[in-house]
Amino acid sequence: MLPCWLLFSLEWMSRTSVALEDEEKQRCPAGASPPHFTPDTSHSLPERLNLEPPVSAVETSPSPSSNGTGLLSLPWEIVTQIASHLPAQCVINVLPQVCQTLGKLGEDRLALQLRAQKLSGPAASFPVGPKEDFDWSKACLEMEQLIGCWTGHENQAERQEEAAGGVNSENLVDMQLDVDLNGAAEAGEENVQVQSQNASDSPHLIASSSTSSPLEHIILPSGHIADVNCVLLLGGEEALCVSGSRDRNVNLWDLREGPRGKLMHTLTGCGSISTHRGWVWCLASSGPLLASGSFDSTIRLWDLEAGGAERRLIQCKAAVLCLSCERDTVLAGSHDQKLSIFDTRAADPLVKSLHLHGDAVLCLAADDQYILSGSKDRTVALFDRRAGKLLQKVKLSSYLLSLSYSGREVWAGDNRGLAHTFSMHNSSLTPVSQFTVHRSLVTGVHYSPGALYTCSSDRTIKVHLPCAPPKTLCTLHHQAGVNGLSIEGGTLAIASGDMNVEVWRHRCEESESI
């Protein structure tokens, strides 16, 4: 609840935003220089908008309405203090619509830094990476949204620690990496077996039934008959979800259909009864292009604009363990220690095969300049795509399973439950710190300036503020190990070891009435 004086000031501000311009016209005769601060209305002339000098966050700014009685008659420091009590969404997105002067509040870098520090707590360091060129506006918006949605959003029913059948999920995923990769991948696609069970026997994580929560939790209708290894949200506005499983199939879901979403279809090539001939291990997309990587040593490309029609098949030399897409380029990390670059438009798609590691390449992340890759040889490599050379290899005491970076800050999850942070600056990758976030393999990480999501084979999903140390807002407990996650527009989807895809999304009016 906002203080009465603050509500009064805001109401007065909205009523007088137009009147202030008339007041300024009376105080500024024809031919005189315009004042420093010019309220912006729908009838303001473009020439006037460009005459206003920037407002410094630290200077004492006399009010342009010192003789008036509106909000802008207050000293600028008091206006800034009032704004600090408003949500970041209001300051950054709403106030610029009220008047141009108040819009400057959302550009106040110092005020945004103080806001972010208050959200993360006095004992935390934020951001973990370089502050230069850091997107403070996005960070504050994401942090406040994350706190509002996830704080206290724990499961109503705590699950037992033992997984179904008495198999410990930590040991299960360890066997995955040590046996599956070194056994199934080397034996070839003919020996890759689908391990399935009756989907109806698999217990689910139970969603909160409270309609007061801003999030709803849904379990997509049964569509796989084996563990789901990877998941990907696509299409914006929580439209589509893609899942890849050990049943060798890739499923395409429409999250807008019905209260629980709808299975649109299973992607299959011409003459095939399944998407791949081995476990589907990874997914990536760029625009309408969807790529799926499998233990059958292939990458299949699908056209989402054509309803998921197969675009082409790329034959690799070993099991494909991680993927990244950038426009018409597909990057693939494989079990044979290679990082391969493919051009999807070329008749011979292989552009370059990089041997950056001494063991299987387990994770990668890329943009138009750099490629980051993590390997089971306990190294992370930084490759410059433009220069075509390896810039750096960092040796770790553990191996990375998941990577995510935004701007100059990198977060990664390893096989010991640790989250590693790195700083990217001047073509250099510098380890910053590491934090214990899980008790076992960190199978998924998603980082953005104001949000951090992690999941693990310890059967938990955690939502954090990305400060040092991470501030955990919520821990979701699951029956089985969680193999991966995807985030899009505040929606969270997970790939589950109990053959399910589960989604947390913003509650809408329709879902509240159900």
Side-chain angles (χ1 to χ4, degrees), residues 226-464:
D227 290 4
V228 182
N229 288 326
C230 48
V231 66
L232 187 63
L233 291 169
L234 300 172
E237 297 183 359
E238 313 143 11
L240 299 176
C241 180
V242 185
S243 57
S245 169
R246 295 190 186 190
D247 64 11
R248 310 181 184 186
N249 285 325
V250 173
N251 285 345
L252 184 62
W253 310 81
D254 189 342
L255 300 182
R256 298 165 297 185
E257 290 288 332
R260 293 181 56 204
K262 178 183 178 181
L263 176 62
M264 297 172 63
H265 55 266
T266 297
L267 303 182
T268 56
C270 182
S272 302
I273 60 173
S274 62
T275 309
H276 284 273
R277 297 178 63 186
W279 291 348
V280 181
W281 202 253
C282 49
L283 297 165
S285 70
S286 178
L289 174 67
L290 172 67
S292 58
S294 169
F295 269 33
D296 64 8
S297 303
T298 67
I299 301 169
R300 289 185 180 267
L301 305 181
W302 313 91
D303 189 346
L304 295 175
E305 288 185 340
E310 186 175 19
R311 188 162 158 181
R312 74 178 300 170
L313 180 144
I314 298 175
Q315 184 66 52
C316 302
K317 296 182 179 180
V320 180
L321 306 178
C322 52
L323 288 171
S324 178
C325 288
E326 294 288 333
R327 294 183 291 276
D328 296 306
T329 301
V330 174
L331 309 175
S334 52
H335 187 267
D336 61 357
Q337 310 171 10
K338 300 290 181 62
L339 196 158
S340 302
I341 303 175
F342 299 98
D343 186 339
T344 63
R345 302 163 297 181
D348 181 7
L350 182 61
V351 175
K352 186 179 294 186
S353 185
L354 305 173
H355 197 163
L356 307 178
H357 298 283
D359 208 331
V361 181
L362 301 177
C363 56
L364 63 86
D367 59 18
D368 59 355
Q369 184 174 357
Y370 300 112
I371 301 174
L372 275 170
S373 59
S375 168
K376 203 176 180 185
D377 67 0
R378 302 186 177 188
T379 65
V380 56
L382 177 63
F383 183 84
D384 190 323
R385 300 175 69 169
R386 297 173 183 174
K389 65 178 182 180
L390 176 66
L391 297 177
Q392 189 178 1
K393 280 182 73 173
V394 177
K395 185 68 176 178
L396 305 173
S397 59
S398 56
Y399 58 84
L400 302 182
L401 294 163
S402 48
L403 270 171
S404 180
Y405 80 90
S406 176
R408 301 185 180 187
E409 192 168 326
V410 181
W411 286 75
D414 74 3
N415 64 312
R416 298 190 304 171
L418 299 178
H420 297 252
T421 58
F422 303 87
S423 170
M424 288 183 62
H425 187 63
N426 295 330
S427 300
S428 176
L429 184 68
T430 305
V432 176
S433 191
Q434 58 187 39
F435 313 97
T436 300
V437 291
H438 289 281
R439 295 183 292 108
S440 187
L441 312 182
V442 183
T443 53
V445 169
H446 176 89
Y447 163 74
S448 59
L452 177 67
Y453 297 80
T454 60
C455 65
S456 171
S457 62
D458 68 3
R459 303 184 289 277
T460 63
I461 308 105
K462 295 189 178 185
V463 183
H464 324 259

